[in-house]
Amino acid sequence: MTSLKEMKLEGLKTKVLGRPTYFISKTTSTQDVLKQERQNMNHGTTILADTQTQGKGRSGRLWQTLPGHQLLASILLRPAISPKKLPLCTLAAAQAMHRVLKQMGVLDLQIKWPNDLLLEGQKYAGILAELFSGTDAPVIILGIGVNLQGLPENIPSEFIFPATTLEARGYHIERDVLLTAFLNVFESNLEALRLGQESTFLHALNQDLAFQNQTVFIQLDPAPVKGTVRNINPDGSLQLEISPGKQRAFRSGEIRRVLPA
């Protein structure tokens, strides 16, 4: 941990998250740092990086970065919740970031189930949660990447969700300010989850759920499934109407195509 420097986040109001927060200038990924050190770190420990060389998103996709242009952070969680609720941590984080940016005046934001954040229909942020279980309580390492300003050249784009940045849409937000505000709200969401009150943030999430009442294709093996997005259920699954009067809940998968409304 010699390359990690503890930093103070001004305005941090949490009891646990971000206490401590460490900064590292360059690393393969903040996820890697916490994975390597997780046995020695407490619940809430946060790592912030200036740049990553091997950042990953869902399905191992490369998350390309430019120094100082993104919020790149990971948080170590040892949540005191039942195992069946662990998947809700990702949604709790997504709703927290979404809420913070709305409070900062960012418009036309949506949450794309299960872990992407959209601005004017384009992806500006993603969340990656990795679960580690063993003899002790489960550990979640939750990574978040937010495109604040310029993107690398030739960045790969999803079919209908090309990357964008907050700055490209006219919003200049300081990295440390955003991280601090996110940690404050995320801790509140995690506490609601611990107390069995997750309906509070899930209700807010459903209000800004991307593609609600639109027909989408969920990528699954061996073939995609077509359906109309209805809502996110209390267990975090996505409810689709796959034919008139017939609905199905999806606990995994990814929205890969959206048909015109």
Side-chain angles (χ1 to χ4, degrees):
M1 294 176 56
T2 55
S3 59
L4 297 178
K5 296 181 180 179
E6 189 168 353
M7 62 181 292
K8 182 179 180 181
L9 294 173
E10 296 293 336
L12 189 66
K13 301 175 181 179
T14 62
K15 294 180 179 178
V16 178
L17 297 192
R19 300 184 186 277
T21 295
Y22 295 103
F23 175 78
I24 185 169
S25 178
K26 184 177 182 180
T27 183
T28 54
S29 78
T30 53
Q31 294 289 99
D32 288 344
V33 175
L34 283 181
K35 280 188 280 189
Q36 293 166 6
E37 299 287 346
R38 66 182 184 274
Q39 301 298 332
N40 306 315
M41 291 186 170
N42 296 325
H43 171 61
T45 299
T46 300
I47 304 292
L48 174 67
D50 207 37
T51 188
Q52 297 181 148
T53 59
Q54 298 178 37
K56 294 290 193 300
R58 276 175 64 89
S59 303
R61 297 190 190 99
L62 183 65
W63 183 284
Q64 299 186 30
T65 65
L66 292 173
H69 284 51
Q70 285 86 19
L71 166 59
L72 305 168
S74 292
I75 309 161
L76 188 143
L77 303 173
R78 303 181 192 274
I81 57 177
S82 66
K84 68 179 182 179
K85 287 189 175 184
L86 291 175
L88 289 173
C89 290
T90 299
L91 294 174
Q95 196 278 328
M97 181 59 72
H98 179 84
R99 175 182 168 186
V100 163
L101 286 169
K102 285 185 70 174
Q103 291 173 341
M104 291 180 174
V106 182
L107 304 176
D108 199 9
L109 293 168
Q110 290 183 311
I111 299 172
K112 172 179 170 273
W113 179 90
N115 68 325
D116 287 339
L117 298 165
L118 305 181
L119 171 57
E120 298 179 17
Q122 295 186 311
K123 180 176 175 178
Y124 74 92
I127 295 167
L128 176 66
E130 296 182 271
L131 175 64
F132 300 88
S133 56
T135 56
D136 297 327
V139 172
I140 293 176
I141 297 178
L142 187 137
I144 184 159
V146 181
N147 293 328
L148 300 175
Q149 41 186 306
L151 294 169
E153 295 182 2
N154 303 318
I155 187 169
S157 296
E158 297 181 73
F159 180 55
I160 58 168
F161 309 111
T164 190
T165 71
L166 292 171
E167 186 179 70
R169 295 295 185 268
Y171 303 103
H172 180 74
I173 298 174
E174 295 292 335
R175 180 182 65 185
D176 293 3
V177 171
L178 181 57
L179 176 59
T180 301
F182 166 73
L183 290 172
N184 288 338
V185 177
F186 185 34
E187 182 168 280
S188 176
N189 281 355
L190 288 177
E191 179 63 7
L193 185 56
R194 185 185 71 83
L195 295 174
Q197 299 170 0
E198 59 270 16
S199 60
T200 55
F201 67 79
L202 287 174
H203 175 74
L205 191 155
N206 272 309
Q207 290 183 318
D208 290 312
L209 178 63
F211 317 124
Q212 202 156 28
N213 300 318
Q214 287 184 253
T215 301
V216 303
F217 286 86
I218 300 288
Q219 187 63 48
L220 296 171
D221 290 329
V225 175
K226 178 182 176 182
T228 301
V229 174
R230 292 307 181 203
N231 58 271
I232 291 178
N233 294 314
D235 63 356
S237 60
L238 182 68
Q239 191 77 10
L240 291 189
E241 184 172 348
I242 57 177
S243 62
K246 184 178 181 181
Q247 298 197 11
R248 178 179 168 188
F250 292 83
R251 290 176 174 78
S252 62
E254 185 175 10
I255 296 175
R256 296 295 294 167
R257 284 184 59 200
V258 180
L259 299 185

